[in-house]
Amino acid sequence: ERWSLATSLARSTKFPNGEELYSNGAHFATQAFEVGNPDLEEETSLGLDLSVRKTSGRVTGEVTLFRNDFSDFIFQAFTGEEEDGLPVLRFEQADAEFRGIELQGQIGLWQRGHRHLDLELFGDSVRAELDETGARLPRIPPARIGGGLHYRSDRLDARAAILDVARQDDLAENETPTAGYTMVNASIGYRFFTSRTVYDVMLRGRNLTDEVARNHVSFLKDRVPLPGRDLSLSLRISF
């Protein structure tokens, strides 16, 4: 009654778009000189997911293993060249394999009536490589793991979490590494009522330690870091 097993098998097809086929110039949004490939063919994938879930009890959660096999996967390769002062990215195609794991869980630490205190855990990792050579694909996110405390009651909801993102140095050719980082986020919300109206007040803080963090997937990672410390206060009124 507490456990379940799920699996899915999916096949998909993607046709190259105009940008992938015919680009030939500076793309200022990515700060790159992009070169298309008019010889690109359709990309197909076969994906398999396997999940184990625990749905009740003091400890709940889910672990998912996945694998996707691509035929003629379309991607942008770093060439190591420059054009008009911008790095050249060229659309290429090759067979590739993605495999990884995702997990999330919750452990009940304390409960009294409608008041709960839980430990939340989460993480994911993916590895992507070309079938023929075993070379890594570009712009693959690094492994992440995190955890936090979550308190909730009828009126109060508070959460504090730490996210640790690993350094990404498992790279494609001509790709640059990205340093890891640890980010601290927190929020607290309170709900109160009048005769016909519900008020939700939320104070939220992201990157509270003002960590310098860069997203490895972004073309602009070396120019533009992720946002620094951010505090917001909001009020939602339902009637």
Side-chain angles (χ1 to χ4, degrees):
E1 295 181 357
R2 296 184 176 185
W3 292 87
S4 65
L5 182 68
T7 186
S8 65
L9 182 67
R11 185 181 187 276
S12 64
T13 299
K14 172 186 175 297
F15 291 93
N17 59 38
E19 181 179 337
E20 294 165 339
L21 291 168
Y22 305 120
S23 290
N24 188 26
H27 187 178
F28 293 107
T30 62
Q31 287 293 294
F33 192 97
E34 298 184 354
V35 180
N37 182 352
D39 295 325
L40 293 177
E41 300 178 351
E42 66 182 46
E43 168 193 299
T44 59
S45 72
L46 184 65
L48 175 66
D49 292 359
L50 178 64
S51 299
V52 179
R53 304 178 182 129
K54 188 172 185 292
T55 56
S56 62
R58 183 169 172 265
V59 179
T60 58
E62 178 177 348
V63 177
T64 299
L65 300 174
F66 63 88
R67 173 170 173 161
N68 282 276
D69 288 318
F70 287 88
S71 177
D72 295 323
F73 180 71
I74 298 171
F75 63 99
Q76 282 182 286
F78 295 96
T79 64
E81 304 169 358
E82 281 195 3
E83 187 77 29
D84 296 339
L86 299 173
V88 176
L89 301 179
R90 181 174 286 109
F91 285 97
E92 296 185 357
Q93 190 167 49
D95 295 344
E97 176 190 292
F98 287 66
R99 59 184 184 273
I101 183 172
E102 299 174 347
L103 61 91
Q104 63 87 20
Q106 182 173 286
I107 302 172
L109 301 178
W110 176 82
Q111 179 179 352
R112 180 172 295 174
H114 295 289
R115 293 175 291 175
H116 300 259
L117 179 64
D118 300 319
L119 174 65
E120 298 177 336
L121 304 170
F122 51 90
D124 55 66
S125 177
V126 62
R127 185 181 182 92
E129 58 190 23
L130 300 176
D131 285 350
E132 185 174 346
T133 63
R136 303 295 181 258
L137 283 165
R139 299 173 51 240
I140 300 301
R144 307 183 304 166
I145 191 167
L149 294 174
H150 182 198
Y151 173 82
R152 65 190 190 279
S153 67
D154 289 340
R155 293 178 178 267
L156 184 66
D157 189 289
R159 178 182 273 113
I162 297 176
L163 172 66
D164 185 71
V165 178
R167 173 182 172 85
Q168 182 57 289
D169 51 15
D170 198 10
L171 306 172
E173 187 177 1
N174 299 314
E175 188 179 20
T176 58
T178 304
Y181 60 88
T182 300
M183 193 168 289
V184 180
N185 304 312
S187 65
I188 183 169
Y190 187 77
R191 168 172 288 186
F192 58 95
F193 309 87
T194 61
S195 58
R196 296 183 179 180
T197 309
V198 180
Y199 299 88
D200 290 292
V201 181
M202 175 69 71
L203 176 64
R204 180 179 287 110
R206 299 184 180 91
N207 194 8
L208 293 175
T209 59
D210 205 24
E211 180 89 351
V212 176
R214 300 182 185 274
N215 180 9
H216 183 75
V217 175
S218 172
F219 288 108
L220 304 177
K221 69 183 182 70
D222 294 323
R223 295 172 178 262
V224 183
L226 294 171
R229 184 184 296 112
D230 173 37
L231 300 174
S232 64
L233 178 66
S234 63
L235 171 64
R236 184 175 66 185
I237 304 174
S238 305
F239 52 90

